[in-house]
Amino acid sequence: MPGNEEKHFPQKPSGPRTFKMKTAPVKVPEKYKKELNDEQLKAVTHPGGPALVIAGAGSGKTRVLTYRVAWLVENGADPRGIVLVTFTRKAADEMVSRVEKLVAVSRDTLVAGTFHHVAGVFLRRYAKHVDYQQNFTILDRDDQEQLFKKLLGAHLQAKDDAMKQRFPAATHLSDMYSRAINLQRGLAAIVATSYPQYKGLEADIEAIIGHYNREKRRQNAMDFDDMLVHFLALIRKENVGDEIRKVVKHVLVDEYQDVNQIQADIVLELGREAKSVMVVGDDAQAIYAFRGSEIRHILDFPKQFTRLVETYYLVENYRSTPEILALANASIKHNKKQYPKELRTVNPPGEKPALVQCESKDEEANFICQYVLQARDQGVPLAEQAVLYRTAYQSQLLEKTLLQYNIPYEVRAGIRFYEKAHIKDLLCFAFVVQNPSYEIAWERILTLLPGMGTRSTEKVLQAILPSGNPLVTFTTANAPKLLEGSRIGKASFEHIKQLQSLYRVLSIDEVTGAALPEDKLIPPGPFLDACLKFYEPYLKEKYKDPADRLDDLKELVGLAGRYATLATFLAEVAISETFVGQSGMGVPDTEERPIVLSTVHQAKGLEWTNVHVMGVVEDMFPHSRSKANEDDMEEERRLFYVACTRAKKQLVLSYSVLNEQHGGPGRNLIWKRSSFIDEIEEDGVYEPLLIEHEFEA
């Protein structure tokens, strides 16, 4: 009946009533509003918790990270609790310098640097928890390979000649070991996927690696991979990890698209309980799979936390013209595994990118040279122009042609400054003071001396290394007795005595005869200068170009002078990524800075007014090895995207139809232009540039 209907009331929830409270509004200082666009400001003022910033090419990610640090400090964060991780020391220094201009903070209070630098900071502090002494030495790649070579030789002594020929070289052993560590995979999986030619030798390789690990422990040394392994182990140790997490309140990571498995694990462990963890990167620029980086880490980042992960997009590009971005956007949209985005810019319009078809590689090289000179005549300096290519050997013909046109050039390649042989020679004089058990450094120093071969050096090391302090033992040893039975002359004894004298002056307390503690050693600049005076005669004997090398060594002494202690200098040296470019030809009587030649991988993070991308043909770009795998093809497309987005105002793509190599990639006589060009043809984002030949009468 009407009026007698059963009434239903909402059920009263069990437990206490709750009220969902949002973060209180924070007043944003005008300097932030003035210097940041809306996208950047949202990321910088992220309230807390995990955050992912997808930063497109040229969108100002460095600015975001810099202002983020300043924002945290201005809002009460202790700078000592901020960890800023970058992929190069240079990037970290640049960011910290900018932070210092924004907010009152000293660079010494922030933990900022590469993964290895950050790991080194905590490992020095907690070395005993991973069974190392605090003065451990860091092996670089060359030292690592030398140690593997020595252990491989010992392991193969009992093998027959046929078996010896099957074994991997030291460089391969080093790479297999490193891949297993960084990808967090077993050796068998690494052999199966990357080194199938060594299938069946896994047990022998494991034995050599086991010996390698024991030898490092004996010498109180770590390689680069160990630093990350031991740092991750520290964070995961119950008491030590809790202590580290109490200190680290805010984690910021640059270039997150380039991390490998162990680096991703470190970030997640550090950020697990942090007040905020912000990773910044661009999935469209993930191009280092060959180094162990995996794009899945940035793609899956939002799934790694139980807390909500905020995602911010930076798509306003400050580098390129709208036309260049249109081509880049049209290309990258063909990738399936990505965060979809479209770069835009407020820069004024310019020319469409040009596509140039050449008959031969000679014509392509000549075209590039003439185009470069024309651009210079029109006001674009050589240093504001670059030629990029997929693989390093593509530059050979171009370099020859640049010489013919008298165009100075520089190839971005080369070895790390600190890995040059003569630099390592001098550094070893310091290494044995910082870590007297460092056998590799002792071997390098002793074999410099005339008459000291492998056997004589081993004899010295067998006498001093088992002692409590090998350096003290060396300086007090009787040289003839030390080398009793060795076939060396009296002159060699004199060289050893001079080396003993050097170390007595630099590192031994003249009263007690004990090794000087770190705070009593002379500063690293004067220390290395004294070692250089001793080393210089040997430098002249060992190398054909001692004058140029001496200039390098004087620069090293100057660099050392910037550090307060020998230990801090050597720690930075070991993880520095300072590279030396290979200079091409300089034009006489001119100070004009050269045009840059570079692989695309080496060019990432850089920009030029004009960029030429040469060799844009199928089987080269994309590379033939990538075509069977969709993930590899997507990485090739990302590489193409990176190449194009290096250009600010003008982008020229070129290729030759005729392949004169007869057996290069694809083994085609006639090249086909890149499928990356074909797939954007209908988008109308480039225009053909036709070559017309002018012949002299």
Side-chain angles (χ1 to χ4, degrees):
M1 293 177 60
N4 290 333
E5 297 93 342
E6 185 178 355
K7 295 183 178 179
H8 296 275
F9 296 95
Q11 290 288 320
K12 185 177 180 181
S14 60
R17 296 170 64 191
T18 60
F19 177 83
K20 290 186 178 179
M21 193 167 176
K22 298 179 180 178
T23 305
V26 178
K27 186 176 181 181
V28 180
E30 285 302 316
K31 68 178 178 183
Y32 289 88
K33 295 179 181 178
K34 182 180 178 182
E35 297 296 329
L36 303 169
N37 64 33
D38 291 343
E39 296 170 346
Q40 295 169 337
L41 187 61
K42 287 177 183 177
V44 165
T45 57
H46 170 65
L52 169 64
V53 180
I54 301 299
S59 63
K61 68 179 178 63
T62 301
R63 180 177 291 263
V64 166
L65 285 166
T66 301
Y67 275 82
R68 174 67 179 169
V69 174
W71 171 264
L72 289 171
V73 173
E74 286 193 335
N75 283 273
D78 185 342
R80 293 169 296 183
I82 298 174
V83 173
L84 172 60
V85 185
T86 65
F87 268 79
T88 67
R89 175 64 190 272
K90 181 180 177 182
D93 287 345
E94 179 186 345
M95 290 185 199
V96 173
S97 294
R98 292 190 190 183
V99 170
E100 287 178 318
K101 294 175 183 176
L102 292 172
V103 66
V105 63
S106 167
R107 68 175 50 236
D108 297 330
T109 57
L110 295 169
V111 179
T114 63
F115 275 97
H116 293 95
H117 171 83
V118 173
V121 169
F122 288 98
L123 285 170
R124 295 283 178 196
R125 197 177 298 170
Y126 298 102
K128 66 179 182 180
H129 293 281
V130 288
D131 300 322
Y132 271 87
Q133 297 172 40
Q134 200 172 25
N135 67 335
F136 64 83
T137 299
I138 301 169
L139 304 179
D140 63 22
R141 180 75 177 189
D142 184 56
D143 292 333
Q144 185 182 36
E145 288 182 6
Q146 288 301 315
L147 185 51
F148 266 120
K149 188 175 181 180
K150 179 179 178 180
L151 298 174
L152 177 63
H155 186 83
L156 292 180
Q157 282 183 348
K159 306 288 184 182
D160 59 37
D161 290 343
M163 182 61 78
K164 288 178 182 178
Q165 291 180 3
R166 281 202 62 206
F167 265 77
T171 53
H172 284 183
L173 284 171
S174 178
D175 186 61
M176 282 187 272
Y177 168 78
S178 184
R179 282 176 177 268
I181 295 293
N182 286 291
L183 297 178
Q184 297 285 275
R185 295 174 188 163
L187 178 70
I190 298 299
V191 170
T193 56
S194 301
Y195 290 96
Q197 66 269 38
Y198 302 127
K199 187 172 176 58
L201 297 176
E202 291 89 346
D204 286 278
I205 295 170
E206 289 274 18
I208 295 169
I209 289 175
H211 195 178
Y212 169 72
N213 286 327
R214 291 190 296 274
E215 190 64 19
K216 285 183 296 181
R217 288 279 185 182
R218 188 182 69 80
Q219 296 190 35
N220 191 33
M222 294 186 198
D223 58 35
F224 286 167
D225 301 314
D226 291 330
M227 294 182 74
L228 300 188
V229 168
H230 294 314
F231 182 38
L232 182 59
L234 272 182
I235 307 169
R236 287 175 170 169
K237 273 183 179 285
E238 188 173 346
N239 295 325
V240 181
D242 292 341
E243 191 175 324
I244 291 172
R245 274 187 286 271
K246 282 179 183 177
V247 174
V248 177
K249 299 298 184 184
H250 302 277
V251 181
L252 298 94
V253 186
D254 192 14
E255 304 285 11
Y256 195 72
Q257 78 280 349
D258 292 334
V259 297
N260 58 35
Q261 183 65 59
I262 196 168
Q263 291 165 340
D265 287 345
I266 288 170
V267 172
L268 296 175
E269 288 290 344
L270 277 179
R272 185 153 47 88
E273 297 174 15
K275 289 183 178 179
S276 74
V277 52
M278 176 176 285
V279 301
V280 181
D282 183 8
D283 55 295
Q285 297 187 71
I287 59 172
Y288 295 119
F290 67 95
R291 293 182 185 172
S293 302
E294 295 178 277
I295 192 174
R296 66 182 175 86
H297 296 304
I298 192 169
L299 295 178
D300 294 343
F301 184 79
K303 304 174 187 175
Q304 304 304 314
F305 293 86
T306 54
R307 298 180 282 172
L308 175 69
V309 177
E310 293 285 350
T311 301
Y312 302 92
Y313 284 84
L314 308 181
V315 295
E316 188 166 330
N317 175 285
Y318 292 91
R319 176 186 299 153
S320 307
T321 63
E323 291 77 10
I324 291 170
L325 294 184
L327 186 145
N329 287 330
S331 177
I332 203 65
K333 73 181 181 183
H334 290 274
N335 273 11
K336 296 176 183 177
K337 294 181 180 179
Q338 65 170 318
Y339 290 100
K341 59 185 173 296
E342 188 157 310
L343 297 183
R344 61 175 186 271
T345 184
V346 294
N347 288 334
E351 295 179 0
K352 275 188 178 183
L355 177 66
V356 184
Q357 175 183 302
C358 302
E359 290 185 5
S360 66
K361 291 182 178 180
D362 276 316
E363 184 174 82
E364 184 179 19
N366 277 280
F367 159 73
I368 290 172
C369 290
Q370 292 182 30
Y371 198 97
V372 163
L373 291 174
Q374 177 180 291
R376 182 180 65 177
D377 293 342
Q378 293 171 349
V380 183
L382 293 180
E384 273 298 312
Q385 302 185 60
V387 183
L388 308 183
Y389 32 83
R390 172 64 180 82
T391 54
Y393 73 80
Q394 288 176 269
S395 72
Q396 293 176 12
L397 178 60
L398 178 61
E399 290 186 60
K400 179 182 176 182
T401 312
L402 286 164
L403 290 171
Q404 293 172 353
Y405 282 87
N406 233 26
I407 300 174
Y409 67 89
E410 178 181 279
V411 180
R412 278 190 60 81
I415 60 172
R416 292 169 68 233
F417 176 71
Y418 295 117
E419 288 184 355
K420 298 173 82 172
H422 53 294
I423 297 293
K424 291 197 68 175
D425 286 347
L426 189 60
L427 287 174
C428 282
F429 284 90
F431 277 130
V432 296
V433 173
Q434 191 245 351
N435 177 11
S437 299
Y438 191 16
E439 184 176 333
I440 292 172
W442 277 112
E443 287 176 348
R444 193 167 192 123
I445 295 168
L446 291 171
T447 52
L448 285 171
L449 309 181
M452 289 294 292
T454 303
R455 290 185 180 179
S456 303
T457 297
E458 285 179 358
K459 206 168 182 61
V460 173
L461 295 181
Q462 286 169 4
I464 68 173
L465 288 177
S467 64
N469 189 310
L471 184 60
V472 173
T473 303
F474 175 73
T475 58
T476 57
N478 180 286
K481 189 173 182 180
L482 201 62
L483 289 162
E484 193 172 9
S486 298
R487 296 179 180 179
I488 62 173
K490 291 183 179 180
S492 296
F493 291 133
E494 289 303 314
H495 288 286
I496 290 177
K497 289 178 182 178
Q498 289 169 18
L499 181 61
Q500 290 174 314
S501 177
L502 173 73
Y503 279 124
R504 279 196 292 270
V505 171
L506 293 178
S507 61
I508 303 298
D509 189 314
E510 61 182 353
V511 176
T512 65
L516 289 170
E518 183 182 319
D519 60 347
K520 299 296 183 183
L521 293 170
I522 62 175
F527 183 98
L528 280 186
D529 191 45
C531 293
L532 177 57
K533 288 182 173 65
F534 175 86
Y535 172 61
E536 190 172 343
Y538 305 106
L539 173 79
K540 293 175 180 177
E541 289 293 324
K542 186 175 180 180
Y543 300 106
K544 294 179 180 178
D545 51 350
D548 291 341
R549 292 176 187 264
L550 188 59
D551 288 341
D552 281 349
L553 293 166
K554 289 177 179 176
E555 182 181 349
L556 178 66
V557 171
L559 289 170
R562 301 177 188 177
Y563 293 82
T565 68
L566 197 62
T568 54
F569 170 64
L570 293 176
E572 288 303 314
V573 162
I575 57 176
S576 170
E577 62 290 314
T578 304
F579 281 83
V580 181
Q582 289 179 314
S583 292
M585 184 207 72
V587 177
D589 304 321
T590 180
E591 296 182 358
E592 186 173 20
R593 292 170 57 209
I595 188 172
V596 174
L597 313 185
S598 176
T599 63
V600 182
H601 285 104
Q602 288 273 3
K604 185 170 174 287
L606 304 175
E607 60 182 34
W608 294 272
T609 300
N610 289 9
V611 169
H612 297 256
V613 184
M614 64 180 289
V616 187
V617 291
E618 199 68 2
D619 294 333
M620 182 63 73
F621 207 169
H623 201 281
S624 56
R625 289 196 301 266
S626 304
K627 297 176 73 174
N629 183 290
E630 187 174 344
D631 287 346
D632 291 345
M633 275 297 287
E634 291 209 351
E635 174 138 344
E636 286 290 302
R637 192 176 287 109
R638 293 193 294 269
L639 192 62
F640 181 68
Y641 174 88
V642 167
C644 295
T645 53
R646 300 311 92 200
K648 292 192 282 188
K649 292 186 177 180
Q650 201 164 75
L651 174 64
V652 180
L653 310 172
S654 64
Y655 66 98
S656 65
V657 174
L658 184 63
N659 171 23
E660 302 95 332
Q661 284 186 322
H662 299 292
R667 301 183 183 278
N668 299 320
L669 180 61
I670 302 297
W671 284 120
K672 178 186 175 185
R673 74 179 187 183
S674 171
S675 55
F676 295 157
I677 301 297
D678 293 341
E679 67 191 15
I680 61 175
E681 185 171 16
E682 294 184 1
D683 293 288
V685 290
Y686 65 84
E687 58 186 9
L689 178 61
L690 303 178
I691 294 177
E692 293 183 357
H693 288 277
E694 294 181 358
F695 298 98
E696 294 182 6

